[in-house]
C-alpha cells in the first residue's frame, strides 16, 4: 500500500483529521475499522504475551459502553455499521487476549505461524503415549457400557491417576511457556531474526504439546461429568 | 458447521477399525498427530511380498472429519501397490468427503499416516534384508 493510501485510510471520514483512534480526536465521530488492526493494537497494547489483565478488562468495559449500539440509534447507517464492526472486534479481541493459551496462539499467528506445531514435528514418544492413554479411556467407556463394574473401577483408578499426571505436566509446560514468553517480551528491538524464530519455534512446540494433553484431559473430564 | 453425508456415513460406520500386530514384518504402522487440534491417528498396512496392500486398519481419536478421512484412506489403499498408495493426495480426500477449509488438516493427517506407515514398512524390510545378508556372510 502506498504511503498516500495509508494516510487516506487513517483520515477521519467526517472532518479529514488524521486519527488512529476509535473516535476522531477532533470531531469525536466513530471511525472505520482499519484492516491492519490486530487484537493488540485494538487495545493499544504492544505485541507481548504478558499483559495486565485487570487493565484489559477495564478497557474492555469502557469500550463496550462507547461502541454500544444504543448510542448510535440516531446516527447515520455508516456510523451504525462502524459501531457494530468495532463491537464485534472488541468481543473477539477480548475473548482471545484474556485467555493465556488463546493469546499465545494468536501472537504466534501474528508472527507468521500458519498453524501451531507445523515447524517442529511432534515427538513420536508423546504421540504414542497420547494414543495409549486414549485407548485406556476407550476401555473404560466400554467397561461402563457393558456394566462391568469391577473392570470399570480398576480402570477408573488408572484413568484418574493419568489425569493427575497429565495436569502436572500441563502445569509444567505452562510454566515453561511463561518463562519463554518473558524472554520474547523483553527481546531488544535489534535482536536477530534467528533469535526470534528460535523462541517462537520453542513456544509453538510447547503449545502443541499442551494441546494434545488438554484434549485428552477434556475427554477424561467429560467421562466423569455425566 | 454441518458435516457432509459422506463424513457422517464414515463416522457412523467406520471401515476397517482395529489394529494389527505392529511388530510383524509385513505390517507398516503410521502414528501421526495434528498439533493444532490434538487429534491422533494410527493407520496400519498389511503388505504382501509383491508389495500389494492386502489389508488396512486404523484407529483415530479425534473429530468426525479425522475419523472419516482415515476410514476412507484404509478403503482406498486396499488392493493398491505401495507406490500407488503413496499417490493418494489429501486433496482427493477433501474432494471425496466435501471437507470444509477448516477441516483440511484432517485429510493431511490421513495422507501423512499412509506415508508414515509405508516408511515404517520399508524400514522393516531393509533391516530384514540386512539381517539376511549378514546371515549369508557368516
Amino acid at each position: 500500500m502506498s504511503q498516500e493510501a495509508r494516510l487516506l485510510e487513517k483520515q477521519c471520514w467526517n472532518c479529514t483529521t488524521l486519527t488512529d483512534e476509535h473516535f476522531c480526536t477532533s470531531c469525536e465521530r466513530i471511525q472505520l475499522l482499519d484492516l491492519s488492526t490486530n487484537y493488540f493494537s485494538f487495545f493499544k497494547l504492544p505485541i507481548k504475551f504478558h499483559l495486565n489483565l485487570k487493565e484489559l478488562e477495564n478497557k474492555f468495559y469502557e469500550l463496550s459502553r462507547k461502541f454500544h449500539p444504543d448510542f448510535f440509534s440516531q446516527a447515520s447507517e455508516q456510523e451504525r455499521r462502524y459501531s457494530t464492526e468495532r463491537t464485534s472486534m472488541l468481543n473477539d479481541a477480548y475473548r482471545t487476549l484474556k485467555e493465556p493459551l488463546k493469546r499465545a496462539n494468536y501472537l504466534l499467528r501474528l508472527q507468521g505461524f500458519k498453524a501451531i506445531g507445523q515447524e517442529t514435528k511432534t515427538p513420536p514418544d508423546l504421540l504414542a503415549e497420547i494414543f495409549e492413554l486414549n485407548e485406556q479411556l476407550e476401555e473404560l467407556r466400554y467397561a461402563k457400557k457393558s456394566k462391568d463394574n469391577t473392570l470399570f473401577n480398576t480402570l477408573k483408578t488408572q484413568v484418574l491417576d493419568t489425569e493427575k499426571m497429565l495436569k502436572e505436566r500441563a502445569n509444567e509446560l505452562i510454566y515453561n511457556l511463561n518463562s519463554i514468553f518473558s524472554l520474547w517480551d523483553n527481546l531488544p528491538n535489534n535482536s536477530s531474526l534467528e533469535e526470534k524464530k528460535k523462541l517462537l519455534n520453542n513456544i509453538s512446540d510447547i503449545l502443541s504439546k499442551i494441546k494434545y494433553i488438554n484434549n485428552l484431559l477434556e475427554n477424561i473430564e467429560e467421562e466423569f461429568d455425566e | 458447521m454441518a458435516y457432509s453425508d459422506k463424513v457422517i456415513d464414515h463416522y457412523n460406520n467406520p471401515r476397517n477399525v482395529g489394529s494389527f500386530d505392529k511388530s510383524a514384518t509385513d505390517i507398516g504402522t503410521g502414528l501421526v498427530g495434528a498439533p493444532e487440534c490434538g487429534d491422533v491417528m494410527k493407520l496400519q498396512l498389511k503388505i504382501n511380498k509383491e508389495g500389494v496392500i492386502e489389508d488396512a486398519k486404523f484407529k483415530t481419536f479425534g473429530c468426525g472429519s479425522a475419523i472419516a478421512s482415515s476410514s476412507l484412506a484404509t478403503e482406498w489403499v486396499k488392493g493398491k501397490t505401495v507406490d500407488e498408495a503413496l499417490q493418494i493426495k489429501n486433496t482427493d480426500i477433501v474432494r471425496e468427503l466435501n471437507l470444509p477449509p477448516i477441516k483440511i488438516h484432517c485429510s493431511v493427517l490421513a495422507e501423512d499416516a499412509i506415508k508414515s506407515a509405508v516408511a515404517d514398512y520399508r524400514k522393516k524390510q531393509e533391516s530384514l534384508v540386512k539381517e539376511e545378508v549378514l546371515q549369508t556372510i557368516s
Side-chain angles (χ1 to χ4, degrees), chain A residues 116-117 122 127-128 131 134-135 138 208 211-212 215, chain B residues 31-40 42 59 61:
Chain A
I116 297 313
T122 315
L127 277 185
F131 194 86
N134 265 305
E135 280 186 318
E138 195 182 51
S208 81
K211 184 72 202 167
Y212 283 113
N215 237 22
Chain B
L31 181 60
V32 292
E36 63 267 44
C37 59
D39 289 357
V40 275
K42 186 174 81 174
K59 209 164 178 186
F61 297 104

Side-chain angles (χ1 to χ4, degrees), chain A residues 187-200:
Chain A
L187 270 182
N189 284 334
N190 60 0
S191 48
S192 71
L193 217 64
E194 285 108 88
E195 211 172 335
K196 282 185 180 168
K197 192 86 185 155
K198 203 177 135 203
L199 285 183
L200 291 171

Side-chain angles (χ1 to χ4, degrees), chain A residues 168-185:
Chain A
E168 277 165 20
R169 285 219 338 237
N171 283 338
E172 225 171 273
L173 286 167
I174 287 173
Y175 181 84
N176 292 343
L177 192 69
N178 270 303
S179 23
I180 298 176
F181 262 128
S182 296
L183 293 176
W184 162 261
D185 286 354

